[in-house]
């Protein structure tokens, strides 16, 4: 069933489409390969859930050793998932416009990099020559 049939199509000029794309489309910004998130996000969630279950099991194991008030508090916190509060969350991705902007800035900074390095090297060699002549 196609859900887009009921919605009216909105004609947009290409420049407007591109502007919206730069604003709404995102790219991963947490350091690893963009394809790695397919496995990393579920793995991190699973690890977090395992940790929560482990903490709950340990809390239940010590219930018999605790006083009645402590036992009620532990049971209540287990029922209301107090251990899960906080947990791991995936960081938000960076909008495509910001990614393209930073890539462009990096590209500009690399222009004439070899020439700049040669100038610095020549200046350094000249400095060494001055020091050795004195």
């Amino acid at each position: 069933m196609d859900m887009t049939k009921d919605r009216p199509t909105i004609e947009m000029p290409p420049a407007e489409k591109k502007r919206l794309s730069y604003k709404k489309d995102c790219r991963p910004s947490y350091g690893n390969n963009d394809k790695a998130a397919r496995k990393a996000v579920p793995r991190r969630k699973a690890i977090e859930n395992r940790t929560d279950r482990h903490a709950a099991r340990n809390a239940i194991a010590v219930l018999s050793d605790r006083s009645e008030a402590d036992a009620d508090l532990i049971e209540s916190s287990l029922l209301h998932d107090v251990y899960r509060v906080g947990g791991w969350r995936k960081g938000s991705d960076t909008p495509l416009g910001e990614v393209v902007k930073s890539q462009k800035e990096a590209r500009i900074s690399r222009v004439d990099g070899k020439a700049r390095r040669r100038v610095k090297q020549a200046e350094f060699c000249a400095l060494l020559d001055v020091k050795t002549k004195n």
Side-chain angles (χ1 to χ4, degrees), residues 23-91:
K23 184 178 176 185
K24 291 185 176 185
D25 295 350
C26 290
R27 294 293 178 267
S29 57
Y30 41 85
N32 42 343
N33 183 341
D34 59 338
K35 306 298 188 287
R38 276 192 328 223
K39 293 181 180 181
V41 170
R43 183 184 314 120
R44 290 294 301 265
K45 289 174 77 173
I47 290 169
E48 183 69 24
N49 289 337
R50 246 178 259 137
T51 304
D52 294 338
R53 289 194 303 268
H54 182 76
R57 257 195 321 272
N58 288 343
I60 290 172
V62 298
L63 274 179
S64 59
D65 301 339
R66 303 290 176 158
S67 66
E68 187 68 30
D70 288 343
D72 287 341
L73 180 65
I74 291 171
E75 186 178 344
S76 172
S77 66
L78 287 175
L79 287 174
H80 296 294
D81 284 338
V82 171
Y83 289 109
R84 302 186 95 159
V85 173
W88 178 82
R89 291 202 186 275
K90 179 185 171 291

Side-chain angles (χ1 to χ4, degrees), residues 2-13 17:
D2 190 10
M3 300 297 288
T4 59
K5 286 183 180 179
D6 298 335
R7 284 188 249 152
T9 58
I10 300 171
E11 293 294 324
M12 269 193 262
K17 281 184 180 179

